[in-house]
Amino acid sequence: MTLFGRLSEKKNRVAAIIARGDAARDQQDWSTAISAYRDSLDKDPERPGIWVQYAHVLKENGQVGEAIAAYRQAIGRRPGDAETYVHLAHALKRQGNIGEAAGALEQAVSLNPSDIESVEELHAIGHPATLDRVKSSGNFDGFRPVSYTHLTLP
């Protein structure tokens, strides 16, 4: 078999393992999803999107510390992805680490200044968000963080 053939075969095996993880995740079978994603990452660790999926299912399974480590693996492989910093912040908040959560949200906002939800979350957790930077970006002329706690659904 040629090198190209072996690489293609490996890629297909990894894709099948990821598909198994995705199906288990969709069925909320967290332990099977964790196992499948971990197996795929053992074979091909340079997949930031799979690190994020792995982190999600770990978090859903109550393994918050492990999820945080997996989100950090994803960030190390794709540091410009603001959304992964938001996911990391949520896991850190769940663990009670508000200071680090605020830092992750700050990073998300610095990568995506138009992410109003992250700015509002920084405000809501009592962290002095860099609102001057956000205002000066031109994305939110006159922006004021909003609290939606007073709203009720019908």
Side-chain angles (χ1 to χ4, degrees):
M1 180 179 282
T2 67
L3 176 61
F4 179 74
R6 285 192 303 266
L7 290 174
S8 181
E9 186 177 306
K10 177 185 175 187
K11 184 178 176 183
N12 289 339
R13 278 195 315 266
V14 171
I17 296 167
I18 291 168
R20 191 173 74 238
D22 291 346
R25 179 204 60 218
D26 293 347
Q27 294 297 313
Q28 297 182 358
D29 180 356
W30 308 129
S31 61
T32 300
I34 288 167
S35 177
Y37 289 140
R38 181 71 253 174
D39 188 24
S40 74
L41 290 167
D42 288 343
K43 291 174 179 27
D44 186 2
E46 297 307 316
R47 291 178 168 254
I50 301 306
W51 280 106
V52 170
Q53 290 305 312
Y54 180 54
H56 289 341
V57 296
L58 285 165
K59 186 172 66 171
E60 289 294 335
N61 201 47
Q63 297 171 257
V64 180
E66 292 89 341
I68 290 168
Y71 285 129
R72 288 184 170 143
Q73 287 287 330
I75 288 167
R77 287 165 171 77
R78 191 169 50 204
D81 185 359
E83 188 174 339
T84 304
Y85 283 98
V86 173
H87 293 304
L88 173 61
H90 291 162
L92 288 162
K93 275 180 33 181
R94 221 168 127 177
Q95 196 178 50
N97 194 336
I98 303 303
E100 277 192 66
L105 287 168
E106 288 264 3
Q107 185 63 33
V109 171
S110 75
L111 291 167
N112 182 8
S114 64
D115 182 1
I116 190 169
E117 291 174 8
S118 291
V119 173
E120 289 178 342
E121 191 162 348
L122 277 166
H123 179 75
I125 64 176
H127 189 271
T130 53
L131 295 179
D132 289 339
R133 184 185 71 243
V134 173
K135 288 178 188 176
S136 69
S137 73
N139 292 327
F140 299 117
D141 189 28
F143 171 75
R144 301 270 186 278
V146 177
S147 170
Y148 296 103
T149 57
H150 65 283
L151 298 178
T152 57
L153 298 174

